[in-house]
Amino acid sequence: ARRRREGRGGRKKTPTTTPRRTMASPVAHAPSLGARSLGSRRVDRSSRLRRRPVDGHARSSSHRRSLAVAAEGKKVVFVGGTGRVGSSAAAALLRQEPGVALVLAGRTESSFAAAVERHPSLRSTSCAFAACDCSDRASLASVIAGADLVVHSAGPFQGGGDECAVLDAAIANGVPYLDVCDDAEYAKTCKSKSKAAANAGVPCVTTGGIYPGVSNLMAAEMISQNRASADEAEAGANEVEYVLYNYFCSGSGGVGDTILATSYMLCGEDVVCWDKGERVVTRPATQRKVVDFGKKCGKREVFLYNLPETTSARETWGAETVKARFGTNPGLWNGAMALMANLVPKETLLSKDFARSLATFTAPIVRAVDAVVGERTAMRVDVKLKGGALAGAIYNHPRLSEAVGDATAAFCAAMLRGETDPGVWYPEEAGAVKDRARLLEAAAVGCDNYEMNKAAWMLESKPINLGFGMYLEL
């Protein structure tokens, strides 16, 4: 019963399907899995997503150009742009939008030099460094002046972060704003400023990275498509019963010390989630669950953490059950996180100084393990409407450091196209992104397994095609 409640049982309806990607690798998906077969009838109502390319690694530069817009002369400022997330996003945006002018704002020129070393494409006349201190309003105002977009990646956002100083500066100076926040409280504070942003005519998106961010849009797209095909005569058929977010990353994903510190701070935050309409508060790194992330990743253990997409999904769709889980590899790291959450006082874990010191101390060990396990990342999102429609999606990428850049750059490109309304939005809200399919296409450019809006069992890592539309799940 518990498994059915969380989306692994009961197949009342198969969702509207989209063509399965054909991979260039030896384990390419069979074309017969492209759409659900009902006898001799082939069903496919998801024509919007057919624009996706067939192979994450074989996409050509011409495909990237097809996603680009006329961004010639547009200026994008990355606050925290010399860090790993910011520099990866800047490099990805430069690939998507070759005509854009980039400013990487950070504390020191040495950090800018390190960013360019990681991403040689940033060694360009289109990219410049600017010294910036987020705690200094005058410094922020000077850096973002005249920009067409400011991207905030200067974490950690836990513990209040910069207290929304970058967002406040963006609204005050009339500059569109995007952040890659992964903290529930920080996101709520950003959201509380929506009226001020709307009054100033400033478009803003919070939690617009990979997860949260792209994961929210995956859920939104599936809900939208399945609502369109639901039986409207059935009362409440379009209401959302559950949204389940599950994430995996090998090792640390090649991230920097700042994101390591963020992970440690999450072990000090109580988890807020919803189960059958009831708000539940529980400890972090609990409620272990094994989730199948499909081919290239397989089954992995994941644990509850306090992530902002649970709150935004509840607010946006009124979903009765919303949970977000995360896991890593090797399993020893999961055990260490659970041990930390249970033994170390919350006040200590939520201390930025303690988290930074711990991140610095453990970084050499983490890097050594990363060299062995790699940095593969995967998302699995499952949704269910009360009318019975079940749908799942998978995003599987070999390198988190690249995936987070592509995802953030895809949000940037959408905002530069003018797809965001004034106000502060969560990614899944209608005012955030007008063309979700296009953004998802750009964000998934490097994936080697990307599936949208499929029956849950079709996402499993070892489905066997028995023919005549029948499959055996192992």
Side-chain angles (χ1 to χ4, degrees), residues 167 170-175 190-204 421-425:
L167 174 58
I171 294 173
N173 290 273
V175 179
C190 287
K191 187 63 178 169
S192 70
K193 299 176 182 288
S194 185
K195 186 175 180 180
N199 290 339
V202 180
C204 305
D421 295 334
V424 179
W425 308 97

Side-chain angles (χ1 to χ4, degrees), residues 182-267:
D182 56 357
D183 181 68
E185 289 303 316
Y186 190 96
K188 287 180 185 178
T189 305
C190 287
K191 187 63 178 169
S192 70
K193 299 176 182 288
S194 185
K195 186 175 180 180
N199 290 339
V202 180
C204 305
V205 175
T206 185
T207 67
I210 181 169
Y211 47 83
V214 168
S215 57
N216 306 46
L217 293 184
M218 291 166 70
E221 189 72 352
M222 289 189 291
I223 289 171
S224 176
Q225 290 185 18
N226 286 286
R227 276 177 169 174
S229 61
D231 184 1
E232 296 182 0
E234 185 178 347
N238 281 336
E239 294 179 15
V240 179
E241 184 172 324
Y242 64 66
V243 180
L244 304 177
Y245 293 106
N246 293 289
Y247 309 127
F248 168 80
C249 181
S250 289
S252 72
V255 300
D257 291 0
T258 297
I259 298 182
L260 276 180
T262 293
S263 300
Y264 298 145
M265 292 179 78
L266 277 173
C267 290

Side-chain angles (χ1 to χ4, degrees), residues 14-371:
T14 302
T16 304
T17 58
T18 57
R20 181 183 286 262
R21 286 172 176 260
T22 302
M23 302 296 164
S25 66
V27 291
H29 297 124
S32 62
L33 296 183
R36 177 167 57 96
S37 297
L38 300 177
S40 61
R41 182 184 174 193
R42 195 172 179 84
V43 179
D44 185 355
R45 302 186 185 93
S46 306
S47 58
R48 288 184 65 195
L49 299 180
R50 289 185 177 177
R51 291 179 293 178
R52 294 195 186 98
V54 296
D55 190 325
H57 292 297
R59 295 179 178 88
S60 65
S61 59
S62 62
H63 166 67
R64 289 190 185 274
R65 286 194 297 271
S66 72
L67 291 172
V69 297
E72 193 72 34
K74 290 188 177 180
K75 175 183 173 183
V76 179
V77 176
F78 286 83
V79 175
T82 59
R84 291 183 180 270
V85 173
S87 59
S88 177
L93 182 60
L94 196 59
R95 290 194 299 270
Q96 290 187 25
E97 307 286 348
V100 74
L102 303 178
V103 176
L104 271 57
R107 291 184 180 273
T108 64
E109 286 202 48
S110 60
S111 62
F112 175 71
V116 172
E117 186 69 23
R118 290 192 300 271
H119 303 281
S121 63
L122 296 177
R123 191 178 288 111
S124 163
T125 56
S126 300
C127 182
F129 169 75
C132 179
D133 182 355
C134 289
S135 63
D136 185 339
R137 293 187 178 183
S139 174
L140 278 174
S142 175
V143 166
I144 70 175
D148 295 284
L149 176 67
V150 57
V151 183
H152 184 10
S153 61
F157 294 94
Q158 280 69 22
D162 64 342
E163 298 181 348
C164 296
V166 179
L167 174 58
D168 289 340
I171 294 173
N173 290 273
V175 179
Y177 167 94
L178 169 70
D179 69 44
V180 295
C181 162
D182 56 357
D183 181 68
E185 289 303 316
Y186 190 96
K188 287 180 185 178
T189 305
C190 287
K191 187 63 178 169
S192 70
K193 299 176 182 288
S194 185
K195 186 175 180 180
N199 290 339
V202 180
C204 305
V205 175
T206 185
T207 67
I210 181 169
Y211 47 83
V214 168
S215 57
N216 306 46
L217 293 184
M218 291 166 70
E221 189 72 352
M222 289 189 291
I223 289 171
S224 176
Q225 290 185 18
N226 286 286
R227 276 177 169 174
S229 61
D231 184 1
E232 296 182 0
E234 185 178 347
N238 281 336
E239 294 179 15
V240 179
E241 184 172 324
Y242 64 66
V243 180
L244 304 177
Y245 293 106
N246 293 289
Y247 309 127
F248 168 80
C249 181
S250 289
S252 72
V255 300
D257 291 0
T258 297
I259 298 182
L260 276 180
T262 293
S263 300
Y264 298 145
M265 292 179 78
L266 277 173
C267 290
E269 291 188 9
D270 287 337
V271 176
V272 178
C273 58
W274 280 263
D275 193 349
K276 291 188 173 181
E278 293 185 9
R279 184 177 183 270
V280 177
V281 179
T282 187
R283 301 195 60 137
T286 58
Q287 294 192 25
R288 176 183 179 272
K289 182 180 179 182
V290 175
V291 173
D292 196 329
F293 289 93
K295 291 183 178 180
K296 300 289 185 179
C297 190
K299 295 180 179 180
R300 305 286 181 170
E301 60 176 0
V302 291
F303 302 80
L304 280 182
Y305 285 96
N306 191 44
L307 299 175
E309 51 267 54
T310 57
T311 297
S312 61
R314 174 69 177 179
E315 291 182 6
T316 302
W317 300 304
E320 291 189 349
T321 297
V322 192
K323 296 181 180 181
R325 288 181 169 89
F326 174 81
T328 187
N329 177 48
L332 176 65
W333 288 159
N334 290 323
M337 297 286 278
L339 195 63
M340 189 184 307
N342 281 286
L343 297 181
V344 181
K346 289 172 54 176
E347 296 75 15
T348 302
L349 288 171
L350 291 175
S351 165
K352 290 182 182 180
D353 291 337
F354 173 82
R356 288 194 183 104
S357 298
L358 184 59
T360 301
F361 175 76
T362 58
I365 304 171
V366 171
R367 300 287 177 264
V369 173
D370 286 354

